Amino acid sequence: MGLTKQYLRYVPSAVFGLIGSQKGNIVFVTLRGEKGRYVAVPACEHVFIWDLRKGEKILILQGLKQEVTCLCPSPDGLHLAVGYEDGSIRIFSLLSGEGNITFNGHKAAVTSLKYDQLGGRLASGSKDTDVIIWDVINESGLYRLKGHKDAVTQALFLRERNLLVTSGKDTMVKWWDLDNQHCFKTMVGHRTEVWGLVLVSEEKRLITGAADSELRAWDIAYLQEIDDPEEPEPKKIKECSGIQDTPEAEDGTLEADEASEDRILSCRKAGSIMREGRDRVVNLAVDKTGRILACHGTDSVLEVFCILSKAEVQKKMDKKLKKARKKAKLNSASGEEDPETSVSMTLQDEIHRVANIKTSSKIKSFDLIHSPQGELKAVFLLQNNLVELYSLNASLPTPQPVRTSRITIGGHRSDVRTLSFSSDNIAVLSAAAESIKIWNRSTLQCIRTMPCEYALCSFFVPGDRQVVIGTKMGNLQLFDLASGNLLETIAAHDGALWSMSLSPDQRGFVTGGADKAVKFWDFELVTDKNSTQKRLSVKQTRTLQLDEDVLCVSYSPNQKLLAVSLLDCTVKIFYVDTLKFFLSLYGHKLPVICMDISHDGALIATGSADRNVKIWGLDFGDCHRSLFAHDDSVMYLRFVPKSHLFFTAGKDRKIKQWDADKFEHIQTLEGHHQEIWCLAVSPSGDYIVSASHDKSLRLWERTREPLILEEEREMQREAEYEESVAKEDQPAVPGETQGDSYFTGKKTIETVKAAERIMEAIELYREETAKMKEHRAICRAAGKEVPLPVNPILMAHGNISPSAYVLETFKGVKSSELEEALLVLPFSYVPDILKLLNEFIQMGSDIELLCRCLFFLLRIHFGQITSNQMLVPVIEKLKETTISKVRQVQDVIGFNMAGLDYLKRECEAKSEVMFFAEATSHLEEKKRKRKNRKKMILTLT
């Protein structure tokens, strides 16, 4: 079947105009060995790395489709863990910028990520209330911790002990023993959501921030360290099986499982620190030294506290005691003995306020780091698409924060409401509530920024040297691009100026506003008051008064007709020369927000808040077709130049392309994460720029790739199927109880494909094994060797054996997807896999991978395997071979570790020798210089 009509595909080209999106958190990262210079910020589905010193974007970590919600750098500074809206986690290398590791386990957005001290494990918390511990090195999930009843807000590993502490919106703080994956303690001293927690004072104090103005401090006592035999036995309460603390347990009584005799820790409330802000804590953090504590609410103030050391606290208490004694001595009667004076230590003596850092806008997230000079650096991601860096010297008596860096030029402070292309397709204009920016389309750099009023519509004046802006105040603002100056502000309408349309003869334009008027303007040259040269200006020529507010205006290409969209849901067509009424297009249920006329003047397409697009003929005003275009209001509509194809943008975050002749939907451009406000099509039709509430500008490019509608529909159906697979309920695991927490995977389309590859490999192994038996029988019957036909798949893999092909298939499955892929496998494949695993383990290759597969299969199919008599000898053989081979691997690892320890000691010894040798040579050099100096003095005298 031939192509009846060929369309060309538009693809996403770039994301720009965005400094940092609001859902994620900002973090310092280490690049090129420098700390405190580079920050990672979420940028919709990407992560941008900004250089704070130069204000430049130096690296983009490319995401897939979902929006970034959480960032966490690894302790070694080489990797960055990124959590997404759909619950997936990717780990990027900061050296190469590639994300090779993907974890899929959560069903909702990731809200918290935290590495352990060595960076080998990663704890992730999510809106699905689960906490999952991931093995970063093995690229797999370890276990899932269930217990919270609402979204997890924070998770922290303890450095010295294998414990985890988590907080959630369910007002609970939970302590987990990671040795047995059990919650042994729940703190219920909070009455509102717990939004953050930090460990300070060598992990002997926990500070939590909730939805009030208090920071609560809890003293932690690790009970295995308490040697006092007279200490009473703490109360034990059944935990994590439905019974929790009573509200009276705020004093921190110990709770442990009744079946366990291990006592781990106790928590007692030490007091509260009052914040200045009255709203909830948004973020609570501590620097790496554990000395500086900072928090902020929903306002623009970061409150910084200093945690004093034991020596500083003792010094402060001695001073306080001395002062109290002096005061008591003055108050005591003469001749009487001085009464004994004592002072009690409060929480305010240990934690004191340092300073408040006031930013230019509301804070969304922040991060702290100590510079080599000893200053505290705090970087902020603000609500208005801005990054600011402040430095603070906490050692001074009255430290004052200083703003040292600011990244502003890369984006607008508010949503972009209008976009325009220059006539040469090179420059792009974007205007928002506070400024106009001119962008170079090829480099995506901002080349000019000009302050303006709240802009609603815009266009380049012919010649591309000036731009005209229509504002919410009803003014026309004329700007010169070369100088960046505002040339003139003209009061055009009494209300908002909603729309402008440049006349086809390029000598003037028309405006429509909320004052129910359409005004016609012509360009003219006037003499500037400040100079003798002439400059561009505009003058009003005519006014068309109407009965309703004007929402949109558009000229026909021959300049004979003018289309005006009114608030009464109709579109009126007028003759331009006489301003007489020609047609009324009615049919929309809500006002028409946008419209455009095709290049030949035959069609007019209108987009409305009723989510429909209507295509009309301009000759008789008949409606050719009504299309249900978007799931929300249609915000913008533009024809592609010299064609009857047009684009629509909606509040449903999608851009769609349509054919106005065949009334067909051609393609959907998805990428924005919030409502789309406007778009612009370049004069050549090769580029589209769109602006959204997510603060991003997106560039779309037309390729030479033909787009076949049938293939496009098939791709849409596949995408819908993949989404349905991800949304399906997780399969029940045989033998898994309600509280079981070992299973961490999530069913995705990748795991389904991996299971299919394993099944295909097993079937190929069965077929080839049967062929081998037949071949041997034929050879025996013929009495000679008959050539065996080789399977093309095995030949493509290097003419390997069928069993080796199965092993290669297992190796090809991603480590993070292995368990989920094995879970999908039907039991009929398991006996063959067990036999092959026995064979592979005897060969001694990939013992770790094979044992992982074996133990998982035994766990989920334990009942069927033990009841199958045919598998008993296989299991016996597996038992023998697995134990012996695992011991061999343990011996090799033990030998290697001993060798590495020996090498480490040798290196340390050599470095010490080198250190002393350098010190000796340095001392000798000093002596030599001193002798030379003495000789010089002697000769001079």
Side-chain angles (χ1 to χ4, degrees), residues 169-429:
K169 288 172 71 175
D170 56 359
T171 75
M172 306 294 184
V173 174
K174 288 182 176 288
W175 292 81
W176 308 83
D177 185 352
L178 299 183
D179 290 327
N180 54 17
Q181 300 99 54
H182 182 63
C183 175
F184 65 88
K185 181 175 185 60
T186 298
M187 295 164 55
V188 293
H190 305 86
R191 294 292 176 268
T192 53
E193 301 97 335
V194 183
W195 289 100
L197 54 85
V198 291
L199 287 162
V200 296
S201 303
E202 299 175 352
E203 297 186 341
K204 291 187 177 177
R205 174 161 288 162
L206 178 73
I207 296 177
T208 58
D212 51 22
S213 57
E214 282 185 54
L215 293 180
R216 293 171 176 81
W218 309 82
D219 284 334
I220 305 168
Y222 299 99
L223 299 185
Q224 61 264 39
E225 296 177 358
I226 299 174
D227 298 322
D228 187 1
E230 297 180 1
E231 183 164 348
E233 177 78 3
K235 180 172 66 176
K236 295 182 179 179
I237 297 177
K238 182 80 174 179
E239 173 53 46
C240 269
S241 58
I243 302 172
Q244 296 173 335
D245 278 0
T246 57
E248 288 78 14
E250 274 192 46
D251 58 349
T253 54
L254 175 73
E255 300 119 26
D257 192 275
E258 288 179 348
S260 172
E261 294 182 1
D262 294 334
R263 299 185 304 163
I264 301 176
L265 58 84
S266 68
C267 272
R268 299 187 183 279
K269 190 172 180 182
S272 295
I273 308 164
M274 298 305 295
R275 296 168 44 238
E276 289 184 359
R278 294 293 171 221
D279 47 4
R280 74 172 180 90
V281 172
V282 176
N283 283 306
L284 178 67
V286 68
D287 69 335
K288 287 188 177 179
T289 62
R291 184 172 172 80
I292 301 295
L293 173 73
C295 67
H296 73 89
T298 55
D299 52 8
S300 59
V301 177
L302 180 80
E303 299 179 47
V304 183
F305 300 89
C306 182
I307 300 163
L308 302 179
S309 64
K310 289 181 180 177
E312 289 172 326
V313 172
Q314 189 60 45
K315 188 177 178 182
K316 192 173 183 180
M317 294 308 298
D318 290 344
K319 196 173 179 181
K320 197 173 179 182
L321 183 62
K322 189 176 178 182
K323 192 175 180 181
R325 282 177 178 167
K326 190 176 180 182
K327 188 177 180 181
K329 192 174 181 181
L330 291 171
N331 293 335
S332 62
S334 57
E336 294 181 4
E337 292 185 3
D338 292 341
E340 290 187 7
T341 308
S342 63
V343 290
S344 60
M345 185 171 66
T346 61
L347 189 65
Q348 281 69 25
D349 294 324
E350 300 178 61
I351 302 173
H352 75 89
R353 186 183 299 274
V354 176
N356 287 351
I357 300 177
K358 182 84 167 65
T359 58
S360 60
S361 182
K362 288 184 179 179
I363 303 169
K364 279 296 176 183
S365 65
F366 74 98
D367 196 17
L368 302 173
I369 196 170
H370 268 286
S371 65
Q373 292 78 23
E375 286 187 336
L376 178 73
K377 286 186 176 182
V379 67
F380 299 90
L381 176 60
L382 304 182
Q383 192 181 30
N384 61 349
N385 195 28
L386 197 64
V387 170
E388 289 184 345
L389 177 69
Y390 287 80
S391 64
L392 182 73
N393 194 343
S395 59
L396 296 175
T398 56
Q400 292 295 325
V402 179
R403 190 173 74 196
T404 57
S405 178
R406 199 177 190 211
I407 300 174
T408 61
I409 199 169
H412 288 276
R413 306 285 76 78
S414 55
D415 292 358
V416 172
R417 303 309 295 243
T418 176
L419 290 165
S420 297
F421 264 101
S422 62
S423 59
D424 56 4
N425 306 294
I426 292 176
V428 179
L429 178 149

Side-chain angles (χ1 to χ4, degrees), residues 607-737:
S608 167
D610 62 8
R611 303 178 290 178
N612 291 310
V613 167
K614 291 183 185 289
I615 300 166
W616 316 76
L618 261 183
D619 44 5
F620 301 108
D622 56 324
C623 181
H624 292 180
R625 185 66 64 93
S626 181
L627 304 169
F628 183 76
H630 291 270
D631 296 329
D632 209 332
S633 300
V634 182
M635 297 303 296
Y636 227 78
L637 186 150
R638 277 290 175 269
F639 272 97
V640 177
K642 299 177 183 177
S643 74
H644 279 186
L645 308 179
F646 64 92
F647 283 94
T648 60
K651 278 189 176 181
D652 60 354
R653 312 174 185 182
K654 295 175 183 176
I655 299 170
K656 294 186 179 181
Q657 187 184 16
W658 307 84
D659 188 339
D661 291 330
K662 295 193 169 188
F663 316 120
E664 285 187 315
H665 171 218
I666 300 169
Q667 66 172 330
T668 301
L669 305 179
E670 294 186 79
H672 283 292
H673 300 280
Q674 298 289 338
E675 302 95 328
I676 300 172
W677 297 127
C678 55
L679 62 82
V681 181
S682 66
S684 65
D686 289 335
Y687 301 97
I688 303 168
V689 174
S690 57
S692 167
H693 184 49
D694 61 13
K695 300 283 196 303
S696 70
L697 302 175
R698 288 178 186 264
L699 180 67
W700 313 82
E701 187 175 354
R702 184 163 63 187
T703 63
R704 302 296 104 190
E705 177 191 353
L707 186 147
I708 314 301
L709 291 182
E710 289 77 10
E711 291 181 3
E712 195 70 14
R713 304 291 178 269
E714 184 64 30
M715 288 169 62
Q716 285 179 2
R717 284 192 289 270
E718 286 180 8
E720 288 172 5
Y721 168 71
E722 291 182 8
E723 285 181 12
S724 66
V725 166
K727 288 178 182 176
E728 283 177 8
D729 291 335
Q730 294 301 306
V733 182
E736 185 184 29
T737 60

Side-chain angles (χ1 to χ4, degrees), residues 716-784:
Q716 285 179 2
R717 284 192 289 270
E718 286 180 8
E720 288 172 5
Y721 168 71
E722 291 182 8
E723 285 181 12
S724 66
V725 166
K727 288 178 182 176
E728 283 177 8
D729 291 335
Q730 294 301 306
V733 182
E736 185 184 29
T737 60
Q738 186 65 32
D740 217 337
S741 60
Y742 77 95
F743 193 65
T744 58
K746 185 179 78 169
K747 187 178 180 181
T748 61
I749 195 67
E750 286 80 14
T751 60
V752 173
K753 288 177 180 176
E756 288 174 355
R757 289 198 301 270
I758 294 172
M759 288 191 281
E760 288 169 4
I762 298 296
E763 285 169 2
L764 186 142
Y765 168 75
R766 288 173 179 171
E767 291 172 7
E768 291 300 312
T769 307
K771 283 181 185 177
M772 288 290 290
K773 287 181 181 177
E774 289 178 13
H775 178 257
R776 283 195 291 269
I778 291 168
C779 290
R780 280 198 302 270
K784 62 177 181 179

Side-chain angles (χ1 to χ4, degrees), residues 411-587:
H412 288 276
R413 306 285 76 78
S414 55
D415 292 358
V416 172
R417 303 309 295 243
T418 176
L419 290 165
S420 297
F421 264 101
S422 62
S423 59
D424 56 4
N425 306 294
I426 292 176
V428 179
L429 178 149
S430 65
E434 81 296 328
S435 66
I436 304 168
K437 287 184 182 288
I438 308 296
W439 307 84
N440 185 316
R441 178 193 50 75
S442 56
T443 63
L444 302 177
Q445 296 297 315
C446 179
I447 54 179
R448 184 75 75 235
T449 300
M450 299 166 283
C452 71
E453 295 177 8
Y454 197 122
L456 294 176
C457 48
S458 64
F459 65 84
F460 279 87
V461 175
D464 297 336
R465 293 184 178 180
Q466 294 89 13
V467 293
V468 177
I469 301 295
T471 71
K472 200 172 182 179
M473 303 293 291
N475 297 328
L476 283 172
Q477 289 192 311
L478 185 63
F479 289 88
D480 180 58
L481 294 184
S483 62
N485 294 331
L486 173 64
L487 296 178
E488 193 174 359
T489 298
I490 301 157
H493 292 269
D494 290 337
L497 198 163
W498 290 114
S499 179
M500 297 190 298
S501 179
L502 183 66
S503 61
D505 63 4
Q506 299 188 342
R507 293 181 179 179
F509 59 96
V510 63
T511 62
D515 58 355
K516 305 178 183 179
V518 175
K519 297 187 179 182
F520 295 81
W521 307 80
D522 282 347
F523 295 116
E524 64 174 354
L525 291 173
V526 297
T527 305
D528 200 346
K529 295 177 183 177
N530 302 327
S531 66
T532 57
Q533 292 185 351
K534 290 188 175 182
R535 64 166 178 83
L536 187 75
S537 182
V538 295
K539 66 175 180 179
Q540 184 184 343
T541 57
R542 292 184 293 171
T543 301
L544 173 64
Q545 198 66 38
L546 297 166
D547 297 330
E548 296 285 343
D549 289 10
V550 178
L551 298 180
C552 190
V553 292
S554 182
Y555 269 116
S556 64
N558 57 11
Q559 206 170 333
K560 288 184 179 180
L561 301 174
L562 176 69
V564 181
S565 162
L566 301 176
L567 198 61
D568 62 359
C569 309
T570 63
V571 176
K572 300 277 196 294
I573 312 293
F574 296 91
Y575 290 105
V576 173
D577 50 359
T578 62
L579 297 183
K580 286 185 178 179
F581 174 76
F582 173 48
L583 291 170
S584 178
L585 311 179
Y586 57 90

